[in-house]
Amino acid sequence: METLYPTINPKLIEKITEAEEIAIFGHTNPDGDCVMSQLAVSYMLSSLGKKCHLFNQGPFNRSDINPYSLYFATEVPDELVKKNPLVIVVDCSTIDRPGLIFDKVSTLERIVFDHHSSGENFCKREFSYIVPESVSTTLVLEQLRKALAIPLTYDLARFLYIGFCTDTGFYHFLRRSNAEESLRIVTEYVKEGVEPYEVFDTLNDGKTLDYYKEISTLVNRTIAIYDGQVLYTYQNHQEALADSVSDVLYSQLLTVKGVKVVFFFKEKEDCIVVGMRSKKDSKVDVGSFAQSFGGGGHFFASGASLKKTLAESITLVTTAIKDLLDTNEIES
């Protein structure tokens, strides 16, 4: 049977097997796939007797992953660096994604597990396992579980399933090319006792009224350009939220008739973070588009950071995207 997942390089497995101390990193402003991937790696390798340390710079603003923040350290102790731990990075397409917390271990040997289609290869090829066809990093890590012959337990299955649900929008972003194998894998998690409805509630409950008011504000200031093929909105620095609105915002704006690409510009203290999403039938690869600005991501979901003002960033990105659109549909 054909599979989306190639065999993991034996050298990578050997490197993990030989390690005694392991430091596990994910990207800043983590989502469910990132957090659950880190927890899954720690769970699996701890079961093999490894001493695992979880690090994430945060912030853990999303209500669905905030309870897990207690498991993560935000600083790397000097004592750990002196022990020369094996570094494992998950769900990161570029070396800057883990944030400043990663600086202390940036020269140490590392392994990368990811599913982003663009970005940079920031470790030796034999020590990276990147599967762009995978719908989540947790399903990439399912292959590590099998390679290490680690038994599937309820706790591990739940970690892996939540990551899958986060990055597929609870099955919404599955495509025929990856659905069959993905569903076959997660069926095993359900058999292990994971309840889909409980996970859905975990991912969606707990939102505040202010959360939905902010979404309303962002939708109201959304601007349509190129005859409605592109929508963009923005958030000023002083409008920092207690919870992320990005996922709901994108899902709503991508349902607008005629839209192909959505941009969300978020003003930070030292940069502008641009979230990019494209509709499944648009054929616009926002992953490659983000890479042209030093960012990365997937074909349909990506992001980049720009050292410019908010106005400059909007002009730069919205001008550049025109070349990727169907110019026949843009009135002169």
Side-chain angles (χ1 to χ4, degrees), residues 13 17 37 71 82 91-92 97 100 111 113 120 130 135 201 206 208 213 243 255-256 282 297 306 328:
I13 298 299
T17 303
S37 292
Y71 296 103
K82 293 176 182 177
D91 205 37
C92 294
R97 291 289 281 133
L100 297 176
I111 291 174
F113 292 98
E120 61 185 24
I130 301 172
V135 297
D201 288 346
T208 64
K213 287 182 177 180
D243 200 356
T255 64
V256 175
S282 71
L306 303 175
N328 293 327

Side-chain angles (χ1 to χ4, degrees), residues 7-12 110-112 120-130:
T7 301
I8 298 178
N9 193 310
K11 292 182 179 179
L12 187 155
R110 57 179 170 262
I111 291 174
V112 175
E120 61 185 24
N121 187 0
F122 54 97
C123 73
K124 295 179 180 178
R125 185 171 299 277
E126 61 264 33
F127 296 142
S128 66
Y129 186 64
I130 301 172

Side-chain angles (χ1 to χ4, degrees), residues 175 252 309:
R175 303 194 305 277
Q252 294 298 311
T309 66

